[in-house]
């Protein structure tokens, strides 16, 4: 079975695939993503055309960091990342969501619930000498407990 994993890096959701739960064989991620939502498949094709996906090295065992495998990683921007993470099945076809992809989906679900409930507040911050307006979460105590539990289970 193929497992798809994810991590947030440089404002993008980077995803990669491995052939089995032991992480022994990398899969061709763009082919796997072709069965995903159209915006995800399209962004994967664009990344490939821009000479991405990039190859990344993955440690197969935290206790033995010298055991590495290489996998292709595709960066997804916000629209494609949300399209992928908001799907109940996440990855179609032969793919299965790995722990890191399921965790990212749960984070997005919490963020969408906060926004839908109106638990967001406007803020103004100074960044590099310029004022930047943004929305920030205003979680309840229950939300805070859920977020703390999520943070404790973070796989990356």
């Amino acid at each position: 079975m193929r497992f798809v994993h994810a991590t947030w890096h440089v404002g993008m959701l980077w995803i990669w695939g491995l052939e089995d739960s032991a992480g022994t064989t990398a899969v061709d991620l763009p082919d796997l993503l072709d069965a995903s939502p159209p915006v995800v498949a399209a962004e994967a094709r664009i990344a490939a055309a821009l000479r991405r996906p990039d190859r990344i090295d993955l440690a197969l065992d935290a206790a033995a960091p010298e055991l590495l495998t290489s996998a292709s990683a595709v960066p997804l921007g916000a629209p494609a990342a949300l399209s992928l993470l908001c799907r109940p099945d996440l990855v179609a076809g032969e793919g299965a969501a790995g722990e890191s992809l399921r965790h990212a989906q749960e984070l997005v679900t919490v963020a969408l619930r906060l926004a839908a409930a109106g638990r967001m507040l406007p803020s103004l911050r100074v960044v590099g000498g310029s004022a930047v307006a943004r929305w920030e979460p205003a979680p309840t105590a229950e939300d805070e407990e859920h977020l703390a539990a999520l943070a404790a289970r973070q796989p990356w």
Side-chain angles (χ1 to χ4, degrees):
M1 169 157 303
R2 297 173 173 173
F3 291 87
V4 179
H5 299 277
T7 192
W8 293 102
H9 179 65
V10 198
M12 306 284 275
L13 180 70
W14 290 78
I15 54 176
W16 65 91
L18 296 172
E19 189 62 41
D20 58 32
S21 61
T24 56
T25 308
V27 300
D28 184 6
L29 195 53
D31 286 348
L32 185 61
L33 290 175
D34 276 342
S36 294
V39 68
V40 176
E43 192 155 337
R45 283 191 292 276
I46 290 168
L50 294 172
R51 301 218 178 260
R52 297 177 192 155
D54 294 321
R55 300 294 300 175
I56 60 171
D57 289 328
L58 303 169
L60 296 178
D61 185 344
E66 69 279 0
L67 297 176
L68 295 176
T69 189
S70 181
S72 60
V74 175
L76 298 177
L82 280 174
S83 179
L84 180 69
L85 295 174
C86 287
R87 288 179 57 109
D89 60 343
L90 287 179
V91 179
E94 298 177 37
E99 182 182 346
S100 59
L101 191 59
R102 289 191 310 272
H103 189 268
Q105 181 186 35
E106 193 170 353
L107 288 172
V108 165
T109 301
V110 169
L112 292 174
R113 279 192 201 133
L114 286 173
R119 293 194 296 265
M120 305 292 287
L121 295 172
S123 71
L124 189 62
R125 298 193 183 237
V126 177
V127 177
S130 298
V132 177
R134 55 193 272 182
W135 289 93
E136 294 190 8
T140 64
E142 184 179 325
D143 295 330
E144 290 281 357
E145 288 176 20
H146 188 191
L147 290 167
L150 269 174
R153 291 194 322 264
Q154 182 172 321
W156 56 79

